[in-house]
Amino acid sequence: MVQNMEKFDSIDKYYLAITSLLKRIYEEERMNIEKAADVLVKAIKEDRLIHVFGTGGHSAMGAEEMFYRAGGLVPINPILDPGIVLHFGGPRSTDIERLPGYCAKVLHHYNLKEGDPIIIVTAYGINACTIDAALEAKKMGLTVI
């Protein structure tokens, strides 16, 4: 990051912050992104679904973004549980994403098969839904990204 930020306006600061984060992701996560891409390519070649589960109110939008997009991948199975999405209010969604055991049960209603990949979208990675979903997906024999 640039040392003397006082001479920059808000747009400059925003641009520098975003490009700094992208550079850090590129440098530190490149190998993990390549591994994830390999898992997804393999799944597509094997005619499998790619499951996507956003485990919080705003994280659910990650699953929505990947599903049914013009020019997008077709084999996407979004897990859009009504308890988690924001359609019924933020406080309700927050309560459910923090409820231990809820999301482990949700997974059993979405046609998940052993060997399939699942992308778990989360902003923080610490709510009960995220942890339960990842652990349950591993128990079910899915590859968790």
Side-chain angles (χ1 to χ4, degrees):
M1 189 64 114
V2 176
Q3 295 295 340
N4 189 3
M5 294 293 284
E6 295 87 37
K7 65 182 179 177
F8 296 102
D9 67 16
S10 298
I11 294 172
D12 291 333
K13 289 176 184 176
Y14 178 78
Y15 172 79
L16 291 168
I18 294 299
T19 55
S20 175
L21 284 172
L22 287 173
K23 183 176 188 267
R24 184 172 163 206
I25 291 167
Y26 175 80
E27 292 172 353
E28 296 178 17
E29 298 298 331
R30 181 184 180 116
M31 288 189 348
N32 289 326
I33 293 168
E34 287 175 354
K35 285 181 195 175
D38 290 343
V39 166
L40 300 179
V41 167
K42 181 177 182 253
I44 291 168
K45 286 181 178 179
E46 293 176 356
D47 201 27
R48 292 181 175 275
L49 288 173
I50 297 168
H51 309 284
V52 186
F53 188 12
T55 57
H58 290 92
S59 300
M61 290 184 233
E64 290 176 355
E65 274 297 310
M66 291 185 69
F67 176 64
Y68 206 69
R69 295 298 304 248
L73 289 173
V74 173
I76 300 295
N77 180 31
I79 299 173
L80 302 171
D81 185 76
I84 297 164
V85 296
L86 293 169
H87 300 45
F88 302 104
R92 182 180 190 278
S93 173
T94 298
D95 286 346
I96 296 211
E97 74 183 51
R98 293 178 179 172
L99 182 64
Y102 180 89
C103 287
K105 303 244 185 274
V106 166
L107 293 181
H108 292 278
H109 298 277
Y110 283 88
N111 194 30
L112 308 176
K113 293 188 170 93
E114 186 174 344
D116 286 349
I118 184 169
I119 299 170
I120 297 179
V121 182
T122 177
Y124 308 106
I126 59 171
N127 66 24
C129 186
T130 301
I131 295 164
D132 288 348
L135 292 174
E136 189 67 17
K138 283 186 178 204
K139 280 187 205 170
M140 295 170 72
L142 279 79
T143 302
V144 178
I145 299 173

